Amino acid sequence: EADIYQTPRYLVIGTGKKITLECSQTMGHDKMYWYQQDPGMELHLIHYSYGVNSTEKGDLSSESTVSRIRTEHFPLTLESARPSHTSQYLCASREDTQNTEAFFGQGTRLTVV
Amino acid sequence: GEDVEQSLFLSVREGDSSVINCTYTDSSSTYLYWYKQEPGAGLQLLTYIFSNMDMKQDQRLTVLLNKKDKHLSLRIADTQTGDSAIYFCAESFGFQKLVFGTGTRLLVSP
């Protein structure tokens, strides 16, 4: 069983609010990822990290920001939520070798009203 | 850039074989993966294939890789209702990025 956790599982929030989606893993993985998943299923990479103090933007432009102060923690922040941010957000981690399985959290379903 | 495409939907009857297809544009990937997502859950790895292989079998799952055509497929033998889920192919580029396909929703009817 994967030891990667996302909180909250579900969040409904008003426009303009600041929110942070939490992602934690206890496997000591260096590489962590945030994906945004459309209602129609497609996964888009929005942020990734190679390790502590490393963050990179993914293929899909996102107004969110991330930080990696500790290996186990990779939070995603939206400074001012908008209805266009409504989506499922999935966090993943994997070891720092070439072929390794990516472990996914259960996801956070965010609705901005 | 890396584009990974899949057909959106596949419907089969229980006991039949399912074949889910994936095409990709960037041939520099090192490993290719198949992940399964059940409703309300994250993704779980099903199987993977190294880019210099052309076939891998793992119980009911068979992965075929055609590097020339940049085509990857997943065959599920004796498909069960519990196999109903969304299936994603993914490419790994060296040590860094993992790029996912658009996902195929498999529906298995009794």
Side-chain angles (χ1 to χ4, degrees):
Chain A
E1 190 169 317
D3 293 318
I4 178 164
Y5 307 99
Q6 289 184 244
T7 57
R9 285 293 310 277
Y10 303 94
L11 178 62
V12 180
I13 200 163
T15 298
K17 299 290 186 187
K18 178 180 178 179
I19 54 170
T20 297
L21 308 186
E22 302 288 350
C23 177
S24 296
Q25 50 94 7
T26 57
M27 298 173 281
H29 290 168
D30 283 325
K31 296 208 281 284
M32 294 189 75
Y33 308 82
W34 275 103
Y35 290 88
Q36 185 173 341
Q37 187 171 25
D38 294 342
M41 306 178 307
E42 190 166 357
L43 282 163
H44 300 285
L45 179 66
I46 51 174
H47 297 284
Y48 59 104
S49 168
Y50 303 149
V52 170
N53 294 327
S54 146
T55 60
E56 301 286 341
K57 288 194 178 295
D59 301 316
L60 180 70
S61 174
S62 174
E63 291 162 349
S64 58
T65 59
V66 290
S67 63
R68 192 86 185 276
I69 298 170
R70 302 197 318 265
T71 297
E72 60 270 22
H73 197 215
F74 191 39
L76 180 143
T77 298
L78 278 163
E79 290 293 332
S80 179
R82 295 211 298 268
S84 60
H85 296 139
T86 294
S87 191
Q88 166 95 330
Y89 292 85
L90 288 167
C91 178
S93 74
R94 60 198 289 228
E95 288 179 16
D96 195 15
T97 53
Q98 196 163 8
N99 174 35
T100 56
E101 177 179 355
F103 292 90
F104 281 81
Q106 294 276 68
T108 294
R109 183 165 295 282
L110 172 66
T111 303
V112 183
V113 297
Chain B
E2 313 99 358
D3 279 325
V4 185
E5 298 286 336
Q6 300 176 235
S7 51
L8 282 178
F9 188 75
L10 176 65
S11 179
V12 301
R13 288 195 174 277
E14 195 171 23
D16 288 349
S17 292
S18 307
V19 179
I20 302 171
N21 294 302
C22 172
T23 56
Y24 56 95
T25 55
D26 192 329
S27 57
S28 64
S29 55
T30 47
Y31 287 88
L32 295 114
Y33 303 83
W34 283 103
Y35 281 81
K36 177 183 180 182
Q37 185 181 31
E38 298 190 6
L43 279 68
Q44 285 188 300
L45 180 68
L46 282 178
T47 186
Y48 68 91
I49 188 167
F50 186 43
S51 58
N52 71 352
M53 296 169 63
D54 51 23
M55 177 178 146
K56 180 178 179 181
Q57 186 150 4
D58 185 358
Q59 299 182 335
R60 291 192 297 126
L61 306 178
T62 303
V63 180
L64 294 176
L65 175 61
N66 182 330
K67 285 198 77 175
K68 176 174 165 288
D69 295 337
K70 297 179 189 169
H71 183 261
L72 181 74
S73 68
L74 173 70
R75 178 177 181 269
I76 306 172
D78 187 26
T79 314
Q80 303 298 306
T81 53
D83 294 325
S84 292
I86 302 171
Y87 291 80
F88 291 91
C89 62
E91 287 189 276
S92 176
F93 295 89
F95 290 83
Q96 308 307 345
K97 290 171 69 175
L98 189 60
V99 177
F100 284 85
T102 48
T104 299
R105 187 180 298 274
L106 174 66
L107 178 64
V108 183
S109 52

